[in-house]
Amino acid sequence: MDEVVRYSFRLRPGRVAESVLLAEWHRCRFLWNEAVHQRKSGNTPTFGTLSKLLTEARSRNVWLREGSQVVQQQTLRTYAQAHAQSFTVQGRGRPKFKPRKRTPVSLEYTRRGFSIKEGRLVLAKGVSIPVVWSRELPSEPTSVRVTQDSLGNWYVSFVVRRAVEPAPVAEGGIGIDWGVSTTATTTDPVFDLPYLGHRKRCAAELARTQRTMARRRRGTRGPQSGGYQRAARQAAKLHKKAARQTEHDARVWAIGVVESHELIAVEDFKPRFLAKSSMARKAADAAIGANKRELILRGERAGRRVVLVRPAYTSMTCSRCFARAKQQLELGERTFRCYRCGFTADRDWNAARVILAVAERGHTRVEDVSQIGSPPSGGWFGCGLSVKSPAFRSGKR
């Protein structure tokens, strides 16, 4: 069985190649904005109608004919797909205008628009760019995407097919509760993900760079100064370095969890509200959302059973007898004490056990779990209680 994946590499374009890529991007951005204008004018932006408009525009405009028709058609195809998905996918907005200064560069070439010769990527119109090959491609690529990040670095990602490696045999399950002081608390302390604080370590250097930016001309009244641009680039480098370290740690941790467990019960935690709290900076540094996405992606790719459990009442429920606390636990209370059976444990660890127990019973929330019946392996339950009783209805998470 094969899977479709992307292999990314660094590009080293020269000045001529970089100018050609930027010019090509501005043509594609112009076509995207014209497609948005067609939609606002009342026309239906299907790929067929947009292709006809592109043919007419290229016949009249020399500037468009200087670019590759392959990448221009792919831009319109991507727009048509995004417009169609805005009606089918809930919560997806319609495509918008792409401003010149705030839109990152992204060019996509199909198989007719690129080739690989002598270790170099040759794009349409004869643009040859050296590639930093860090690994071999498993198969012939079907498409290529060329991008530029905020630092001005160029990257290329090849869409290839590769054989799916069977995941190692694993047994048992693990429950994961998200937090700020400890990013991920699991039922097995060996797999806990502590708060690493990569951005916190470079906070002093970042603050010094931002003070330098404040003393330079930022371009509100006239052109930006060279000192402002250098300081802004240094600040972007620090942010990029911390983000890469966080991404690497999340990948290593997710691989270890997936390889060792068959059932992965994850708290369906949405950290958006933390951005408006006093923990916003630390929560952003912990990158709970990025760790959660990486874990779910690795688990589904390995064929594991990944269950998302709603976070409501997980911190207020006893993992031994499943009795719920009568009052809401404050954030400063880090120890959970059950009023019914006397069980005492760390608050996050207890919540992780509750999440795992809910997933083992085939549910996604605590309210659906009934304690009448045989307890699961581990002896966490057995009091014969039901969540429909009055003792389980009071209080919140």
Side-chain angles (χ1 to χ4, degrees):
M1 183 179 179
D2 295 340
E3 62 178 353
V4 180
V5 294
R6 283 187 176 273
Y7 275 49
S8 299
F9 303 91
R10 180 76 179 270
L11 286 179
R12 302 287 188 182
R15 291 185 178 181
V16 177
E18 184 173 1
S19 62
V20 172
L21 290 175
L22 291 177
E24 193 71 76
W25 161 241
H26 291 312
R27 297 187 189 95
C28 295
R29 188 180 58 84
F30 168 78
L31 293 174
W32 180 282
N33 293 339
E34 282 296 318
V36 175
H37 177 71
Q38 291 291 328
R39 174 180 61 81
K40 291 187 176 181
S41 300
N43 301 326
T44 303
T46 61
F47 177 65
T49 57
L50 294 177
S51 297
K52 293 180 180 179
L53 294 176
L54 174 62
T55 304
E56 298 176 359
R58 286 177 62 89
S59 63
R60 298 191 308 265
N61 198 324
V62 180
W63 176 63
L64 284 177
R65 288 201 303 270
E66 292 177 353
S68 170
Q69 188 176 4
V70 175
V71 67
Q72 294 174 9
Q73 286 183 341
Q74 185 61 33
T75 300
L76 297 180
R77 184 181 291 108
T78 303
Y79 175 85
Q81 293 175 354
H83 184 268
Q85 290 179 358
S86 63
F87 296 95
T88 58
V89 180
Q90 185 177 4
R92 187 183 183 93
R94 294 183 179 181
K96 300 180 181 180
F97 280 97
K98 291 186 176 182
R100 180 185 182 93
K101 295 183 179 180
R102 298 196 303 269
T103 307
V105 179
S106 178
L107 300 171
E108 189 167 356
Y109 295 82
T110 56
R111 195 66 188 89
R112 297 186 299 111
F114 75 96
S115 62
I116 301 176
K117 296 181 180 179
E118 298 179 356
R120 300 171 68 94
L121 175 65
V122 181
L123 301 176
K125 298 293 182 178
V127 182
S128 180
I129 307 174
V131 183
V132 182
W133 298 102
S134 57
R135 51 182 174 172
E136 296 182 359
L137 294 175
S139 62
E140 288 293 329
T142 57
S143 65
V144 160
R145 180 178 298 169
V146 180
T147 57
Q148 186 186 31
D149 62 2
S150 59
L151 298 176
N153 300 325
W154 291 88
Y155 298 90
V156 59
S157 61
F158 299 92
V159 178
V160 296
R161 301 187 67 89
R162 69 177 183 184
V164 178
E165 298 181 359
V169 179
E171 297 180 356
I174 186 172
I176 300 173
D177 179 79
W178 304 108
V180 177
S181 59
T182 302
T183 304
T185 303
T186 65
T187 52
D188 188 354
V190 177
F191 295 96
D192 286 355
L193 179 62
Y195 169 70
L196 301 174
H198 295 300
R199 288 182 176 86
K200 184 178 180 180
R201 286 200 296 271
C202 62
E205 187 177 358
L206 179 62
R208 184 166 56 252
T209 305
Q210 291 173 342
R211 287 195 297 269
T212 304
M213 294 171 59
R215 295 192 298 267
R216 303 294 189 266
R217 293 197 308 270
R218 63 184 62 190
T220 55
R221 297 181 180 179
Q224 291 181 352
S225 64
Y228 181 88
Q229 294 178 356
R230 288 191 296 270
R233 182 177 177 83
Q234 183 62 26
K237 283 185 177 181
L238 294 174
H239 284 294
K240 191 78 171 180
K241 178 180 179 181
R244 285 175 173 173
Q245 289 175 335
T246 303
E247 181 181 1
H248 171 75
D249 294 334
R251 186 182 300 113
V252 173
W253 172 75
I255 291 175
V257 172
V258 169
E259 289 182 351
S260 304
H261 303 89
E262 176 63 27
L263 171 63
I264 303 174
V266 185
E267 180 188 11
D268 193 11
F269 182 72
K270 296 178 176 58
R272 183 180 301 176
F273 74 96
L274 292 175
K276 300 180 180 180
S277 65
S278 59
M279 300 179 292
R281 179 176 297 180
K282 190 173 182 179
D285 196 1
I288 298 176
N291 288 278
K292 176 184 171 183
R293 288 191 298 270
E294 186 69 25
L295 179 64
I296 295 174
L297 176 63
R298 295 282 175 176
E300 292 178 349
R301 182 179 297 179
R304 305 303 190 190
R305 181 187 168 197
V306 181
V307 181
L308 297 179
V309 179
R310 297 182 183 179
Y313 306 111
T314 54
S315 296
M316 298 175 56
T317 305
C318 177
S319 60
R320 175 178 292 177
C321 67
F322 236 70
R324 183 179 300 171
K326 296 183 178 180
Q327 296 181 354
Q328 181 179 358
L329 274 70
E330 300 295 336
L331 290 177
E333 301 180 40
R334 307 313 304 171
T335 302
F336 176 85
R337 296 179 178 85
C338 181
Y339 73 95
R340 183 176 293 273
C341 67
F343 177 73
T344 303
D346 178 75
R347 169 184 175 149
D348 296 337
W349 183 68
N350 175 77
R353 286 169 44 119
V354 172
I355 292 170
L356 178 58
V358 172
E360 286 180 338
R361 289 173 172 258
H363 301 286
T364 59
R365 57 182 181 177
V366 178
E367 292 91 330
D368 295 338
V369 178
S370 176
Q371 296 310 119
I372 300 177
S374 59
S377 59
W380 294 354
F381 312 99
C383 295
L385 300 176
S386 173
V387 296
K388 299 180 180 180
S389 60
F392 287 84
R393 295 177 181 175
S394 60
K396 297 181 180 179
R397 188 181 185 273

